[in-house]
Amino acid sequence: MNKKALVISIDQKLCEWLYHQLKEGNNNIEAANDLLEGLSGLKENEYGSLIINKMDAMSYEGEKVEKIKCGDLLIDGANRSVYYRDQIIQLTPKEFDILYLLASNKGKVYSKHQIYNSVWKESYTFDDSNIMAHIRKLRKKIEPNPKNPIFILTVWGVGYKCSSNIE
């Protein structure tokens, strides 16, 4: 059986910190609870290491990830990578999630609240500037001219969408 795995080396202090962050948070995410259990085993010397299985495909709202072509932009959901004219673009995890959400639903307008709820997987608790900052940074990275975007469009007074006019 061929499984992709990710090995991460952490020291005892980082293990303790991460353990307490997960323990004190309200984690109703199964993966977070699995990690908490693994870290507990590391702390108690029950395990010598943890191996994290990488998922072959993540899912967004029940859909299997895919490659999305949007003009010269290619978004590879399985590898969480983005290319513009065959040049890789480095995105943060949240920038990627926002882009993937919008690109996988071309033309659909998402409010800032909907983007936050979908990407952060929790109720919207911050002000709108948080989403606006992520969109601005994302545009700087993917748009040929960020001041005149062609991929991520603003729908004034409503939110954002990925252009449905680009194939």
Side-chain angles (χ1 to χ4, degrees):
M1 185 181 239
N2 183 13
K3 285 192 171 186
K4 294 179 181 178
L6 175 65
V7 177
I8 301 171
S9 176
I10 61 174
D11 65 13
Q12 189 65 28
K13 284 185 179 182
L14 180 57
C15 179
E16 291 280 342
W17 179 84
L18 188 55
Y19 175 83
H20 289 292
Q21 293 300 311
L22 290 168
K23 187 82 172 164
E24 293 173 5
N26 291 327
N27 292 313
N28 50 2
I29 300 170
E30 187 175 330
N33 292 326
D34 290 346
L35 180 58
L36 182 61
E37 182 181 322
L39 290 170
S40 177
L42 282 175
K43 279 180 47 182
E44 304 302 324
N45 292 321
E46 294 172 21
Y47 309 129
S49 63
L50 293 178
I51 297 177
I52 302 168
N53 289 331
K54 291 173 70 177
M55 296 169 47
D56 288 334
M58 295 181 61
S59 61
Y60 288 80
E61 298 180 13
E63 293 181 29
K64 191 169 181 167
V65 294
E66 57 189 41
K67 289 184 180 179
I68 301 169
K69 186 100 169 98
C70 191
D72 290 330
L73 198 63
L74 175 67
I75 305 154
D76 185 344
N79 294 317
R80 294 183 61 84
S81 54
V82 177
Y83 299 87
Y84 181 75
R85 295 184 179 164
D86 297 326
Q87 295 292 317
I88 193 155
I89 298 173
Q90 299 296 325
L91 299 180
T92 66
K94 293 300 181 200
E95 289 169 348
F96 180 87
D97 291 343
I98 292 168
L99 179 60
Y100 194 86
L101 173 70
L102 296 175
S104 61
N105 297 285
K106 288 182 186 174
K108 181 177 177 184
V109 179
Y110 282 85
S111 70
K112 293 169 190 152
H113 292 227
Q114 289 171 316
I115 292 171
Y116 188 87
N117 292 340
S118 294
V119 170
W120 276 264
K121 305 280 190 238
E122 58 188 49
S123 297
Y124 186 78
T125 56
F126 299 103
D127 64 342
D128 290 346
S129 63
N130 186 27
I131 299 299
M132 291 167 46
H134 277 83
I135 295 289
R136 185 174 52 253
K137 290 175 186 174
L138 184 55
R139 281 179 172 159
K140 282 183 179 180
K141 293 178 180 182
I142 68 166
E143 297 284 356
N145 179 0
K147 293 184 182 200
N148 189 20
I150 59 172
F151 299 121
I152 298 178
L153 307 176
T154 300
V155 179
W156 293 105
V158 183
Y160 301 96
K161 70 176 183 175
C162 182
S163 176
S164 57
N165 298 331
I166 300 175
E167 293 301 320

